């Protein structure tokens, strides 16, 4: 059994490497959802946006040979799809949760429909950064093969945390999300701010989708996403609407997803499917942990319907 | 005063409102109203609940669009289509409901909406300016405190600071003192008075408390049913003139005669109750009390000492962490069946949020306790809407609720009328146990007299009444036994006959030292 040469260390390194590799879509979707929820709306359709981003990014890369252009197009497709959500929710008496679920189904359906011709052709992948050059261990080397998108997501989390506190836009977004009365008294255009928050969130989720199809696992098929877009919503609650905590939480969810494959590579093949379900258990655990009949959800934007 | 020198250098504008009319559907909320506010005036706007006071100032502030009439600012006709426009003209408003962002800090709330706020906020420089601004104010708040941790009084101060910081030279305060203790109210109004005396700002104060109007205002305008009912100098009017302008020829309800009787058996008993607030911090600690049939037990205390959490437990909106409650001699599980069987009625604070369903009509809200019984529900299943509406119409007349009709949405009622609606519902059937929290908040004189009378009447008929109020005068007027709540505990108890204002005040303030 050569996989066990490093023993449990090997499992740990594989989980860390997997966490980094798998966490990026969680990170982008949760940052996007944070932006949307900070504006006072919930977009449950980000799962659909993610899949749509994956498809459109892949298709662009196949057609043009430019994976980075694919990332950009994925973001734009996500923004466009979220714009539908934003506009529909701006109508009076429309429930954002219901629209989100509709968008989820619509987005995935549309992606499968338009993406049929792209299942077979292979697209150029996004490049790697080798951050493991200092080590001779192939395990560490492969664990530290990192996509620039991951680093970009990390920088984006830091930037958003800063921007929410230190820019006028950040203050406006938080005001609108926390108290529409206050926003009205200050003369802000609530609808416009919410549309902007939702569209920006959709762009990020779309980019997260392109990572799935253009980097890891790096193909396009209908089983590509396993609910990351939905789990990211739970993740945002767990991270208490804080971009930097979203980053940590994404690593945690990424690690949980990587647990099954890591154990398998270490030779533990029993209960593979059980370990594969780790992220779903984690989602449940997180939701139970953050729910309390006595305490209010700390940090929740006041206008968001899940916290009311 | 050097704090005055920091404020706007320009003189406050003279504002005159002419022929203002505002309709909501068939209802004319304002009918050809005129009002003059000279620069530097402290102007009081009076009127009963639903007279149109809030509507008038909202038209002035651009929240509502008037159907007719215009506003002259320094003699120039001004078009004010939004609060932003009003702010540009130096008009600012402190609303009846707070408009602070509770997840933000004091500093962030102050900086909000400042003109010329760059895309990136230079916090060190801003903080320096805010600190200088605060230093010149007679009341101060820490810049880094999160608004959700502020008490009602502190929030009110922040609202006013925010307006002054934005450079408003004309401030409208819509019932600013209804959530404050008398001391806090005097402090805030005193500051406003200094500023108007120095000719630096003008103030329009909406209040139901004539004591405040007499002490601080110099001019007064009175509305009655949407029409101008009178105006004048406060100095040349006495209280009865103002009351007559407000209520017309109607008489105020005389205070109810108290039947002297011994209180009966304990109907409501609280035993060692502990409760936590939203953050998991103990809010009520080991609280024990009894309310007996035919007595009013008054709990006095400064807001934020656990009263809200206590009432939420009694209402079944919050779970206790220790102890228990007994009603009618048995453990009380706060189910609908028990409430009905035991005749437990409750008026919480902020009734629009805590005791009404916002999207429903007045009639539906009036039926929330009874809609599932005969005759409102035939066979307990089919709703009888005609009956519901008929009963609602009766209650609307009996409790003088000002509404467009039983089918109007509860949200369109004025603050005081929402209060009356909930009271009408709770008092429409016989109550054996009545729990009321700040029952007269935001009510006009006539309504206050009526409602206090209803409470005393209920007591005379043997109801056990628990009155939780921040208004010490109200407690002294109504309660048979007075308890003081501080930091979640009952720290003092005295019978009505031996009540001493100073002693009670001392215990109320105790924990703050
Ligand atoms: N948005 C609205 N839609 C319909 N009717 C309204 C609306 N706002 C106010 N009204 C009605 O206009 C009348 C005046 O209300 P307003 O809020 O101005 O009273 P108020 O004098 O401020 O009373 P209070 O002392 O109780 O606050 C009331 O009859 C109220 O029901
Ligand atoms: Mg009002």
């Amino acid at each position: 059994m050569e996989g066990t040469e490093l023993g449990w260390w090997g499992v740990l390194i594989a989980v860390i490497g997997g966490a980094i590799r798998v966490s990026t879509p969680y990170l982008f979707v949760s940052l996007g959802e944070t932006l949307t929820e900070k504006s006072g709306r919930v977009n449950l359709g980000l799962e659909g946006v993610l899949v749509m981003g994956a498809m459109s990014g892949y298709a662009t890369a196949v057609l043009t040979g430019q994976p980075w252009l694919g990332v950009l197009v994925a973001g734009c497709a996500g923004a466009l799809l979220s714009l539908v959500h934003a506009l529909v929710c701006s109508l009076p008496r429309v429930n954002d949760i219901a629209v989100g679920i509709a968008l989820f189904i619509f987005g995935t359906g549309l992606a499968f429909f338009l993406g049929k011709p792209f299942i077979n052709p292979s697209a150029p992948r996004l490049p790697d950064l080798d951050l493991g050059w200092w080590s001779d261990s192939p395990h560490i080397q492969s664990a530290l093969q990192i996509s620039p998108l991951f680093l970009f997501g990390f920088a984006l989390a830091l930037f958003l945390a800063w921007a929410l506190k230190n820019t006028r836009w950040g203050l406006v977004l938080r005001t609108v999300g926390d108290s529409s009365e206050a926003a009205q008294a200050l003369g802000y255009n609530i609808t416009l701010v919410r549309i902007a928050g939702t569209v920006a969130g959709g762009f990020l989720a779309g980019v997260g989708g392109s990572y799935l199809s253009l980097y890891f696992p790096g193909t396009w098929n209908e089983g590509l996403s396993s609910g990351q877009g939905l789990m990211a919503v739970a993740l945002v609650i767990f991270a208490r609407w804080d971009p930097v905590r979203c980053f940590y939480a994404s690593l945690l969810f990424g690690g949980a997803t990587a647990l099954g494959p890591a154990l398998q590579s270490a030779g533990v093949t029993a209960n593979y499917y059980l370990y594969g379900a780790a992220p779903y258990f984690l989602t449940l655990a997180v939701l139970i942990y953050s729910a309390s009949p006595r305490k209010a959800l700390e940090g929740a934007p006041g206008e968001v319907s899940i916290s009311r | 005063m050097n704090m005055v020198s920091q404020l706007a250098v320009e003189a406050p504008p003279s504002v005159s409102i002419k022929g203002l009319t505002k309709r909501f559907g068939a209802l004319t909320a304002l009918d050809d109203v005129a009002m003059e506010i000279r620069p530097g005036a402290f102007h009081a706007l009076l009127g009963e609940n639903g007279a149109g006071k809030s509507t008038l100032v909202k038209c002035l502030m651009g929240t509502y669009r008037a159907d007719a009439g215009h506003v002259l600012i320094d003699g120039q006709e001004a078009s004010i289509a939004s609060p932003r426009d009003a702010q540009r003209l130096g008009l600012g408003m402190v609303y009846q409901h707070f408009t602070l962002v509770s997840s933000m800090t004091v500093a962030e709330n102050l900086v909000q909406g400042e003109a010329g706020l760059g895309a990136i906020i230079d916090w060190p420089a801003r903080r320096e300016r805010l600190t200088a601004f605060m230093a010149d104010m007679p009341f101060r708040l820490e810049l880094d405190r999160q608004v959700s941790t502020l008490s009602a009084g502190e929030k009110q101060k922040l609202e006013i600071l925010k307006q002054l910081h934005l450079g408003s030279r004309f401030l409208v305060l819509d019932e600013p003192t209804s959530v404050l203790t008398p001391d806090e109210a005097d402090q805030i109004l005193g500051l406003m008075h200094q500023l108007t005396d120095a000719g630096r700002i003008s103030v329009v104060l909406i209040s139901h408390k004539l004591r405040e109007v007499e002490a601080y205002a110099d001019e007064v305008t009175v509305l009655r049913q949407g029409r101008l009912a009178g105006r004048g100098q406060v100095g040349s009017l006495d209280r009865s003139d103002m009351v007559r302008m407000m209520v017309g020829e109607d008489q105020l309800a005389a205070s109810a005669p108290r039947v002297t009787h011994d209180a009966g058996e304990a109907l409501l008993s609280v035993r060692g109750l502990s409760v936590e607030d939203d953050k998991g911090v103990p809010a009520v600690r080991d609280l024990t009390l009894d309310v007996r049939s035919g007595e009013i037990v008054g709990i006095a205390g400064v807001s934020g000492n656990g009263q809200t959490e206590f009432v939420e437990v009694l209402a079944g909106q919050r779970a206790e962490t220790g102890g228990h409650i007994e009603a009618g001699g048995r453990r009380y599980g706060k189910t609908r069946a028990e409430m009905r069987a035991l005749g437990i009625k409750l008026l919480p604070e902020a009734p629009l949020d805590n005791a009404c369903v916002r999207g429903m009509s007045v009639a539906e809200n009036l039926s929330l306790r009874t809609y599932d019984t005969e005759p409102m529900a035939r066979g307990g299943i089919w709703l009888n809407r005609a009956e519901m509406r008929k009963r609602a119409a009766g209650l609307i007349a009996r409790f003088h609720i000002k509404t467009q009709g039983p089918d109007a949405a509860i949200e369109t009622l004025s603050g005081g009328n929402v209060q009356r609606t909930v009271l009408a519902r709770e008092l429409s059937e016989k109550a054996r146990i009545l729990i009321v929290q700040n029952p007269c908040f935001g009510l006009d004189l006539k309504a206050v007299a009526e409602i206090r009378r209803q409470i005393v009447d209920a007591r005379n008929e043997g109801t056990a009444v628990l009155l939780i109020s921040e208004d010490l005068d109200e407690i002294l007027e109504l309660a048979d036994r007075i308890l003081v709540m501080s930091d979640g505990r009952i720290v003092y108890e005295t019978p009505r006959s031996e009540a001493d204002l100073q002693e009670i005040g001392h215990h109320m303030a105790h924990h703050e030292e």
Side-chain angles (χ1 to χ4, degrees):
Chain A
M1 290 241 274
E2 52 160 352
T4 48
E5 85 199 61
L6 276 172
W8 292 108
W9 276 113
V11 175
L12 189 66
I13 291 170
V15 166
I16 291 173
I20 292 174
R21 202 167 301 131
V22 180
S23 64
T24 308
Y26 284 118
L27 178 58
F28 276 92
V29 180
S30 63
L31 288 178
E33 184 68 18
T34 300
L35 274 186
T36 307
E37 291 190 16
K38 280 277 180 194
S39 81
R41 280 211 189 122
V42 179
N43 185 355
L44 281 187
L46 286 189
E47 171 75 16
V49 172
L50 183 87
V51 176
M52 192 66 197
M55 188 286 295
S56 57
Y58 195 80
T60 310
V62 168
L63 296 176
T64 66
Q66 307 273 354
W68 285 110
L69 190 65
V71 174
L72 187 69
V73 168
C76 293
L80 209 64
L81 206 56
S82 295
L83 182 66
V84 176
H85 182 277
L87 292 179
V88 174
C89 289
S90 301
L91 301 172
R93 289 177 184 271
V94 171
N95 180 291
D96 53 353
I97 304 272
V99 176
I101 293 171
L103 186 74
F104 162 27
I105 295 166
F106 173 71
T108 36
L110 189 68
F112 295 164
F113 174 70
L114 296 175
K116 275 266 165 7
F118 298 100
I119 294 180
N120 282 326
S122 73
R125 275 182 36 148
L126 289 170
D128 275 323
L129 295 176
D130 279 317
L131 297 185
W133 46 266
W134 46 270
S135 167
D136 341 301
S137 155
H139 294 277
I140 290 184
Q141 278 176 0
S142 88
L144 288 182
Q145 253 183 16
I146 286 174
S147 160
L149 271 182
F150 173 77
L151 297 178
F152 178 66
F154 174 60
L156 190 69
L158 293 180
F159 171 76
L160 286 180
W162 174 85
L164 283 172
K165 279 210 173 67
N166 291 290
T167 64
R168 182 162 46 106
W169 271 103
L171 284 194
V172 172
L173 190 74
R174 283 162 62 204
T175 304
V176 169
D178 211 64
S179 157
S180 56
E181 274 187 2
Q184 249 155 4
L186 287 161
Y188 296 151
N189 186 335
I190 296 176
T191 313
L192 215 59
V193 172
R194 293 203 170 141
I195 290 177
T198 311
V199 169
F203 183 89
L204 293 184
V207 170
S210 72
Y211 179 95
L212 283 178
S213 60
L214 292 174
Y215 186 79
F216 182 82
T219 57
W220 161 246
N221 60 59
E222 298 185 356
L224 189 60
S225 163
S226 40
Q228 278 104 323
L230 281 176
M231 279 186 274
V233 177
L235 195 152
V236 170
I237 298 175
F238 180 53
R240 282 185 259 133
W241 294 268
D242 177 333
V244 175
R245 284 206 213 105
C246 279
F247 175 73
Y248 297 133
S250 299
L251 281 180
L252 183 69
F253 271 70
T257 314
L259 190 64
L263 284 172
Q264 195 184 33
S265 74
V268 182
T269 44
N271 301 331
Y272 178 72
Y273 289 100
L274 192 62
Y275 295 121
Y280 308 105
F281 286 127
L282 188 64
T283 309
L284 270 180
V286 156
L287 287 178
I288 292 169
Y289 166 80
S290 19
S292 157
R294 269 191 234 121
K295 287 189 216 168
L297 270 179
E298 203 183 321
E303 292 285 317
V304 163
S305 42
I306 45 173
S307 68
R308 268 196 283 199
Chain B
M1 297 262 348
N2 64 345
M3 95 196 152
V4 172
S5 65
Q6 278 272 327
L7 284 167
V9 212
E10 284 172 80
S14 84
V15 175
S16 62
I17 296 167
K18 293 213 155 73
L20 205 70
T21 300
K22 173 75 191 167
R23 291 184 205 94
F24 293 110
L27 174 106
T28 306
L30 289 175
D31 187 2
D32 193 24
V33 172
M35 190 171 167
E36 293 278 344
I37 303 111
R38 63 171 174 80
F42 197 122
H43 197 114
L45 180 57
L46 301 179
E48 300 187 88
N49 294 130
K53 305 176 299 292
S54 297
T55 306
L56 174 65
V57 292
K58 280 183 188 163
C59 287
L60 180 61
M61 289 297 146
T63 316
Y64 290 157
R65 258 215 117 100
D67 294 306
H70 43 245
V71 175
L72 300 182
I73 296 197
D74 289 329
Q76 301 266 321
E77 172 139 12
S79 84
I80 304 173
S82 73
R84 259 248 132 94
D85 291 346
Q87 194 202 314
R88 224 170 280 132
L89 291 163
L91 315 181
M93 167 136 173
V94 174
Y95 289 85
Q96 215 164 352
H97 315 280
F98 293 124
T99 57
L100 298 166
V101 185
S102 54
S103 68
M104 290 190 185
T105 64
V106 169
E108 286 171 327
N109 270 283
L110 283 175
V111 161
Q112 276 281 356
E114 218 176 282
L117 191 68
I120 292 176
I121 301 166
D122 180 4
W123 276 114
R126 294 269 162 198
R127 291 183 62 92
E128 205 168 299
R129 268 195 269 162
L130 286 177
T131 315
F133 168 78
M134 281 282 188
D136 275 335
M137 288 288 137
F139 42 79
R140 265 157 234 165
L141 295 169
E142 281 165 55
L143 289 178
D144 288 320
R145 270 182 73 188
Q146 199 173 321
V147 169
S148 57
T149 69
L150 300 178
S151 72
E154 288 169 320
K155 283 184 190 159
Q156 189 76 70
K157 287 177 188 169
L158 181 55
E159 289 273 12
I160 293 174
L161 286 175
K162 190 168 103 184
Q163 288 302 328
L164 294 177
H165 182 67
L166 287 175
S168 298
R169 291 161 292 138
F170 179 97
L171 265 193
V172 177
L173 308 175
D174 193 352
E175 299 189 39
T177 57
S178 57
V179 290
L180 304 184
T181 61
D183 281 350
E184 284 175 319
D186 282 330
Q187 197 192 10
I188 286 175
L189 294 177
L191 161 76
M192 298 283 111
H193 194 70
Q194 282 171 12
L195 293 172
T196 53
D197 259 7
R200 289 304 186 170
I201 63 170
S202 309
V203 168
V204 173
L205 171 73
I206 300 178
S207 176
H208 292 293
K209 297 179 185 158
L210 290 182
R211 181 189 72 79
E212 292 171 354
V213 173
E214 285 166 344
Y216 298 103
D218 30 63
E219 301 168 350
V220 51
T221 296
V222 183
L223 296 182
R224 186 164 75 235
Q225 290 169 14
R227 294 210 184 82
L228 184 67
R231 55 171 134 191
Q233 298 293 318
V234 173
S236 61
L237 295 169
D238 61 25
R239 192 173 280 219
S240 59
D241 296 330
M242 288 194 256
V243 172
R244 199 166 324 108
M245 285 185 205
M246 281 162 66
V247 304
E249 298 309 315
D250 298 0
Q251 290 295 305
L252 293 188
S255 65
R258 277 179 112 74
V259 179
T260 28
H261 58 199
D262 286 331
E265 40 159 358
L267 286 183
L268 179 70
S269 305
V270 179
R271 292 282 170 265
L273 191 75
S274 303
V275 185
E276 288 177 357
D277 69 9
D278 283 344
K279 300 210 173 61
V281 180
V284 175
R285 304 159 198 255
D286 195 21
L287 186 133
T288 296
L289 61 82
D290 284 305
V291 188
R292 286 170 294 165
S293 158
E295 76 167 345
I296 300 178
V297 173
I299 299 187
V302 179
S303 73
N305 274 290
Q307 295 96 324
T308 301
E309 287 80 4
F310 178 41
V311 174
E312 281 174 354
V313 170
L314 293 170
Q317 291 173 319
R318 185 180 285 274
E320 59 263 38
T321 47
H324 67 272
I325 299 166
E326 286 168 20
R330 251 178 295 143
R331 218 180 160 110
Y332 176 44
K334 298 168 247 172
T335 61
R336 194 169 167 82
E338 287 175 273
M339 287 178 199
R340 191 166 285 155
L342 294 163
I344 298 182
K345 307 288 158 158
L346 191 138
L347 170 78
E349 68 175 356
L352 185 58
D353 291 325
N354 287 321
C356 291
V357 183
R358 268 176 185 271
M360 287 190 178
S361 71
V362 174
E364 285 164 333
N365 273 291
L366 279 170
S367 318
L368 289 180
R369 290 256 183 226
T370 45
Y371 72 91
D372 51 350
T373 54
E374 296 277 359
M376 298 261 229
R378 290 195 201 100
I381 296 175
W382 300 108
L383 285 190
N384 182 348
R385 294 213 158 250
E387 180 65 33
M388 197 184 264
R389 223 174 277 129
K390 200 176 97 203
R391 211 187 72 111
L395 287 175
I396 287 169
R398 208 173 112 206
F399 285 82
H400 308 292
I401 301 168
K402 220 161 271 168
T403 160
Q404 295 201 41
D407 296 322
I410 187 91
E411 282 180 289
T412 63
L413 266 57
S414 79
N417 281 303
V418 173
Q419 191 98 350
R420 285 188 213 210
T421 306
V422 176
L423 259 170
R425 177 178 81 210
E426 301 298 299
L427 291 175
S428 58
E429 298 161 27
K430 181 156 170 46
R432 283 187 71 209
I433 299 174
L434 176 66
I435 300 155
V436 285
Q437 184 179 17
N438 296 321
C440 298
F441 257 25
L443 291 186
D444 62 49
L445 293 167
K446 210 160 91 192
V448 168
E450 275 165 27
I451 281 169
R452 293 193 177 156
R453 195 192 162 94
Q454 305 258 18
I455 292 175
V456 174
D457 279 347
R459 164 207 178 266
N460 289 344
E461 281 164 29
T463 302
V465 182
L466 180 62
L467 166 72
I468 297 111
S469 176
E470 285 150 37
D471 183 347
L472 199 45
D473 293 333
E474 178 167 81
I475 300 248
L476 289 171
E477 181 186 329
L478 297 179
D480 293 294
R481 215 148 41 89
I482 298 168
L483 313 181
V484 176
M485 188 162 178
S486 174
D487 206 15
R489 294 190 180 87
I490 299 296
V491 294
Y492 182 69
E493 170 168 356
T494 174
R496 172 191 179 78
S497 52
E498 288 157 33
D500 173 53
L501 191 62
Q502 220 108 57
E503 184 75 18
I504 294 174
H506 174 73
H507 285 284
M508 278 169 66
H510 195 67
H511 84 284
E512 285 172 4
E513 288 142 29

